Each structure stands twice: as structure tokens, then as C-alpha cells.
């Protein structure tokens, strides 16, 4: 089963020193850590390391992948493919993304959604950038009132752009759920 994905949109490449800080964060947060390539990590994130208590009666170690993308780091083709349909993000977030970080959960229980949001926020504390998340139509009103919101798109596939503060506030909302 696949789980939720959040993308951190970045205006420039992540410096090697910051990639090392991300690596150290992930090592501290994980019961299992495998570096697939520079900037791509296969993890078993300990939910408690992110402040999540009570994993709903399941193992609190959640399978997640964190992957940097863009020119000279990661999968440039995947970055390009993921951004082809986004249109001009400059007017929404103030820059055109050149790089990104994907945080991908491999399961879709409630705890996996919260782990994805909080781990993404922790990575954003290091990288900066803007979190991009797709929404359901009924989530638009909830996210519109949260701190750290930068933009919400409308249409049949609404999306939100926000800060780490936004992700943390959203994850605290009753019934919080990311799209897959």
C-alpha cells in the first residue's frame, strides 16, 4: 500500500552541508536508515522521535523515503516530470522551483500521515522552501485559516503551499489526512 507524499519546493540546490544535516536528522529519527544514494534515504522513522505518541496500536516505526531531486542531486527526470503540470509557481510561492525534496510514506494509516507532515516540517527547518500538498475540496476551508499558509489553488485538484509552521498546525487538526 502506498502512503502520502509531501514535496518541499526549493529555489536552489540544497548545499552539501545541509544535506549532511538532513542525514543526521534522519539518523536520529530512525530505527533503520539506508542511504540509497547521496540525498536519498530509506527509513523506518520512529514516530515518537517526532513527538507522536500513541501510534494507534501499531508499530511506531514507519517506513518512509526522503529523496532530494533536481539538477546535480537525485533524479532530475523525476523532478521535471513532477513539475510539468504545476504551471507557473512563481506567482504562488515567489519563486520557480529548481529542486525539491519528496517525503514519501509507504503506508497510509493515520500515524503515517502525521509522520509525513512532521518529518517534512523538520526537513524544512533545515532546507527552507515551501511545502506543496494536494487537497480534497473539503480540506480547503480548514487549511485556509492555518498559520504559515502561503497559497491555496482552486479547481478540481486544489493544492496548498505552506511553511513548516503550516504543516505542524495542519497535522494537529482533527481528522488530519494527506492525499496519496
Amino acid at each position: 500500500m502506498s502512503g502520502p507524499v509531501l514535496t518541499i519546493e526549493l529555489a536552489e540546490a540544497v548545499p552539501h552541508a545541509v544535506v549532511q544535516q538532513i542525514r543526521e536528522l534522519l539518523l536520529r529519527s530512525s530505527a533503520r536508515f539506508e542511504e540509497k544514494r547521496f540525498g536519498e534515504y530509506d527509513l523506518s522513522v520512529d514516530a515518537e522521535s517526532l513527538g507522536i505518541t500513541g501510534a494507534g496500536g501499531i508499530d511506531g516505526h514507519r517506513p518512509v523515503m526522503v529523496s532530494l531531486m533536481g539538477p546535480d542531486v537525485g533524479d532530475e527526470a523525476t523532478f521535471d516530470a513532477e513539475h510539468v503540470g504545476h504551471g507557473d509557481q512563481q506567482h504562488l510561492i515567489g519563486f520557480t522551483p529548481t529542486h525539491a525534496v519528496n517525503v514519501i510514506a509507504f503506508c497510509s494509516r493515520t500515524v503515517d500521515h502525521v509522520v509525513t507532515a512532521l518529518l517534512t516540517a523538520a526537513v524544512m527547518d533545515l532546507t527552507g522552501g515551501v511545502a506543496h500538498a494536494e487537497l480534497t475540496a473539503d480540506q480547503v476551508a480548514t487549511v485556509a485559516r492555518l498559520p504559515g499558509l502561503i497559497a491555496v489553488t482552486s479547481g478540481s485538484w486544489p493544492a496548498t503551499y505552506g511553511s513548516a509552521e503550516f504543516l505542524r498546525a495542519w497535522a494537529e487538526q482533527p481528522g488530519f489526512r494527506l492525499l496519496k
Side-chain angles (χ1 to χ4, degrees), residues 3-27:
V5 176
L6 282 174
T7 300
I8 304 168
E9 304 290 3
L10 301 168
E12 60 188 16
V14 178
H16 286 293
V18 175
V19 175
Q20 183 59 33
Q21 292 174 341
I22 293 168
R23 187 179 188 282
E24 291 167 6
L25 165 74
L26 299 176
L27 271 168

Side-chain angles (χ1 to χ4, degrees), residues 18-77:
V18 175
V19 175
Q20 183 59 33
Q21 292 174 341
I22 293 168
R23 187 179 188 282
E24 291 167 6
L25 165 74
L26 299 176
L27 271 168
R28 286 191 311 272
S29 304
S30 301
R32 182 185 55 75
F33 176 94
E34 181 182 345
E35 189 166 12
K36 300 278 200 177
R37 63 159 170 79
F38 178 76
E40 183 171 281
Y41 310 98
D42 188 6
L43 314 164
S44 178
V45 175
D46 179 5
E48 286 186 11
S49 74
L50 298 171
I52 302 166
T53 57
I58 60 169
D59 181 7
H61 297 107
R62 309 310 302 155
V64 175
M65 179 171 282
V66 175
S67 181
L68 282 77
M69 299 181 300
D72 300 323
V73 62
D75 190 343
E76 190 171 349

Side-chain angles (χ1 to χ4, degrees), residues 32-120:
R32 182 185 55 75
F33 176 94
E34 181 182 345
E35 189 166 12
K36 300 278 200 177
R37 63 159 170 79
F38 178 76
E40 183 171 281
Y41 310 98
D42 188 6
L43 314 164
S44 178
V45 175
D46 179 5
E48 286 186 11
S49 74
L50 298 171
I52 302 166
T53 57
I58 60 169
D59 181 7
H61 297 107
R62 309 310 302 155
V64 175
M65 179 171 282
V66 175
S67 181
L68 282 77
M69 299 181 300
D72 300 323
V73 62
D75 190 343
E76 190 171 349
T78 300
F79 174 85
D80 291 341
E82 287 183 358
H83 287 79
V84 83
H86 289 236
D88 178 21
Q89 293 176 307
Q90 172 76 35
H91 76 282
L92 290 171
I93 61 176
F95 62 90
T96 299
T98 63
H99 291 76
V101 180
N102 275 349
V103 179
I104 306 161
F106 291 114
C107 296
S108 194
R109 295 181 183 262
T110 300
V111 68
D112 298 299
H113 292 257
V114 177
V115 163
T116 302
L118 296 183
L119 184 60
T120 301

